[in-house]
Amino acid sequence: IQLSANRMHVLIDLGLAAAQDARRDRLLADFEGAPRLRRPDLYYHHGLVANGFAPDADYRGHHYVFATNSLGFRDRTVRRVPVHRPPSMRYRLLFIGDSFTEGLGVDWESSFVGRVAQAFAADSVEVLNAGVASYSPILMDRKLRDLIGRVGLAVDEVAVVVDLSDVRNELDYRGIASIEDQRFVDRRPAWR
């Protein structure tokens, strides 16, 4: 009888976990803002499509404009960004973080990275935003290694923005293969 009770307990736990996962998936489907501009990635799990534009992005009923540049970074507008700092700019600052850094739910000008870009524009500082919803330090590290190592992106400084939600995301991503492991083929989007 004790063994049967333990099995029943396990079945109940698994059932509750599945229900919780289904509820979380429904919430995250609304959370993503511009889902067609998100993509899986072989090296750093997920990112944004390059040169994407969604004039009707929606975050919990708030509509906003969402654009990405040629590097797949959230930006003011769709534009080509060279991997090397343009001669007209004296400094290049790259931000990376999660949804707060991405600016989920707000127009570019209202995001904190957009405000920094606007503040530094007169000083010839180029501000780039590599932030994506659900990023955590492990994914930020992988993305930076890919951008700087493989892509050859030249930056003068990187601002890594972390928050409390990164702890949960770190646990979610801890089992993925290393960036050097070419057998890593988990291309499922993080929001699923």
Side-chain angles (χ1 to χ4, degrees):
I1 295 175
Q2 182 67 25
L3 184 58
S4 295
N6 285 342
R7 284 187 183 161
M8 177 60 86
H9 181 71
V10 170
L11 290 175
I12 290 171
D13 281 352
L14 291 175
L16 292 175
Q20 183 181 9
D21 287 347
R23 180 179 175 273
R24 186 185 70 226
D25 289 348
R26 281 193 309 277
L27 290 172
L28 290 177
D30 295 334
F31 170 81
E32 290 306 323
R36 64 186 168 87
L37 297 185
R38 301 187 185 282
R39 66 173 183 78
D41 189 271
L42 179 63
Y43 297 109
Y44 45 85
H45 199 274
H46 67 285
L48 301 172
V49 300
N51 299 316
F53 183 72
D56 57 347
D58 178 56
Y59 175 69
R60 298 183 179 178
H62 177 73
H63 299 280
Y64 63 106
V65 176
F66 192 97
T68 60
N69 61 34
S70 59
L71 296 172
F73 296 168
R74 173 90 193 266
D75 209 330
R76 176 180 42 81
T77 186
V78 176
R79 67 183 179 107
R80 184 187 161 283
V81 177
V83 293
H84 297 289
R85 182 169 28 93
S88 61
M89 295 292 165
R90 66 175 187 78
Y91 200 78
R92 184 181 259 183
L93 173 60
L94 174 71
F95 282 89
I96 192 164
D98 63 5
S99 58
F100 180 70
T101 304
E102 175 189 304
L104 184 66
V106 297
D107 290 321
W108 171 255
E109 296 78 17
S110 297
S111 71
F112 91 86
V113 178
R115 290 176 183 231
V116 170
Q118 190 174 30
F120 285 144
D123 294 328
S124 299
V125 175
E126 183 179 30
V127 176
L128 300 174
N129 183 0
V132 177
S134 296
Y135 270 16
S136 67
I138 191 171
L139 298 186
M140 290 181 234
D141 176 63
R142 289 166 194 241
K143 187 167 189 171
L144 287 172
R145 288 175 189 266
D146 186 57
L147 288 170
I148 294 168
R150 185 184 61 83
V151 175
L153 182 65
V155 296
D156 296 298
E157 189 170 351
V158 175
V160 178
V161 182
V162 296
D163 66 31
L164 194 55
S165 69
D166 292 343
V167 175
R168 174 65 190 165
N169 292 337
E170 274 296 287
L171 294 173
D172 289 341
Y173 301 127
R174 72 178 180 266
I176 65 176
S178 70
I179 193 169
E180 293 82 16
D181 187 351
Q182 296 301 311
R183 296 170 297 155
F184 175 51
V185 292
D186 183 358
R187 293 176 173 264
R188 292 172 296 170
W191 55 94
R192 296 200 178 137

